[in-house]
Amino acid sequence: MNAQRGGPGRGQGRKPIAKHGELMKARQVRMTDEEWGKCKRLGGAAWVRAKIKATRET
């Protein structure tokens, strides 16, 4: 008899924050502890996304 226990669960974990159904992936950024603290105080990932969207590309 094989018991079906354990293994990965579907729908587990934090869901991506996407407004239009686009999938978002986790990325790594290297920062000093001081830079990381400032980033968190300014709004964290939401602040970084807003800055990227607001910056014009040349």
Side-chain angles (χ1 to χ4, degrees), residues 7-53:
R10 291 188 182 103
Q12 300 291 320
R14 180 178 234 174
K15 305 299 181 256
I17 302 169
K19 298 194 183 217
H20 303 291
E22 58 189 300
L23 294 177
M24 298 178 79
K25 295 181 180 180
R27 306 291 182 187
Q28 292 182 2
V29 178
R30 291 184 182 266
M31 294 183 200
T32 65
D33 289 340
E34 183 179 335
E35 291 168 337
W36 182 250
K38 185 174 183 177
C39 179
K40 295 298 276 183
R41 288 190 302 277
L42 291 170
W47 179 79
V48 172
R49 282 193 294 274
K51 285 295 183 183
I52 291 170
K53 288 179 183 177

